[in-house]
Amino acid sequence: MKRISIRATKEADVEEIVILCALHAEYEQSDYDPKGKKEELKKHLFSDSPSLYGLLALINDEIVGYATYMKQFSTWDAAHYIYMDCLFLREEARGFGIGQMLVERIQEEGKKLGCQLIQWQTPDFNTRAMKFYERIGADGKSKERYFLAIQ
């Protein structure tokens, strides 16, 4: 029987998070360079005032996925919200309700941070994720995301 649990990230987990990030990038058909990521993630997840929060999904105490999120402010809404930066599960961990457990935990944490909304994005080809998000009651909004290097 599978024992599923969700817990906050610990500093000792960062190396595994970098591995999951690489797998996540591959799944989303994106490039990923792990160089320096371990140090930067430690700094942002575990400072006195963290700019990033992380959760891990485990099956029988083995890490099988992660979610990261942060508190942001919406000018249009004039309110804080949670931005879910990443949610990823290894292939063998999908279909057991773990993604929903991660989202529900982020909702709980968002309430503690005074937020009433979670926002996130996913590539338009990730139809499996879109079906999951719609099944849990999320609404989609079509926008393109742009990236501009600061030079």
Side-chain angles (χ1 to χ4, degrees):
M1 178 146 87
K2 294 184 186 299
R3 189 177 71 254
I4 299 169
S5 59
I6 305 295
R7 68 166 172 80
T9 57
K10 299 175 186 172
E11 201 164 332
D13 300 321
V14 172
E15 196 163 318
E16 183 66 23
I17 294 169
V18 172
I19 292 168
L20 288 169
C21 286
L23 292 170
H24 190 180
E26 181 181 326
Y27 182 79
E28 291 199 357
Q29 303 169 14
S30 296
D31 294 328
Y32 183 76
D33 180 2
K35 185 179 177 187
K37 299 296 192 287
K38 186 175 170 183
E39 296 75 20
E40 286 299 312
L41 286 170
K42 279 185 181 181
K43 181 171 65 174
H44 291 281
L45 284 164
F46 304 106
S47 71
D48 290 336
S49 297
S51 58
L52 181 69
Y53 301 93
L55 298 171
L56 293 177
L58 297 92
I59 296 178
N60 299 332
D61 298 322
E62 180 185 338
I63 297 171
V64 295
Y66 77 111
T68 54
Y69 60 96
M70 62 202 75
K71 184 176 181 178
Q72 294 189 341
F73 189 82
S74 166
T75 304
W76 283 8
D77 295 330
H80 283 100
Y81 66 95
I82 294 298
Y83 178 73
M84 183 171 63
D85 184 52
C86 292
L87 189 153
F88 177 77
L89 296 171
R90 292 177 179 268
E91 182 67 36
E92 66 272 14
R94 297 179 191 148
F96 298 105
I98 300 170
Q100 185 167 349
M101 291 171 69
L102 283 165
V103 171
E104 288 171 355
R105 177 70 179 270
I106 292 171
Q107 286 177 307
E108 291 171 21
E109 299 301 321
K111 283 180 189 175
K112 293 177 191 174
L113 293 170
C115 299
Q116 296 181 358
L117 183 69
I118 301 173
Q119 295 184 24
W120 67 91
Q121 55 196 355
T122 194
D124 61 2
F125 58 81
N126 193 353
T127 56
R128 186 173 181 183
M130 289 185 276
K131 287 178 184 176
F132 161 66
Y133 296 140
E134 289 167 3
R135 185 173 48 78
I136 64 170
D139 295 317
K141 182 185 280 187
S142 217
K143 283 190 174 185
E144 283 292 319
R145 183 169 189 146
Y146 290 86
F147 301 84
L148 177 64
I150 298 174
Q151 300 184 31

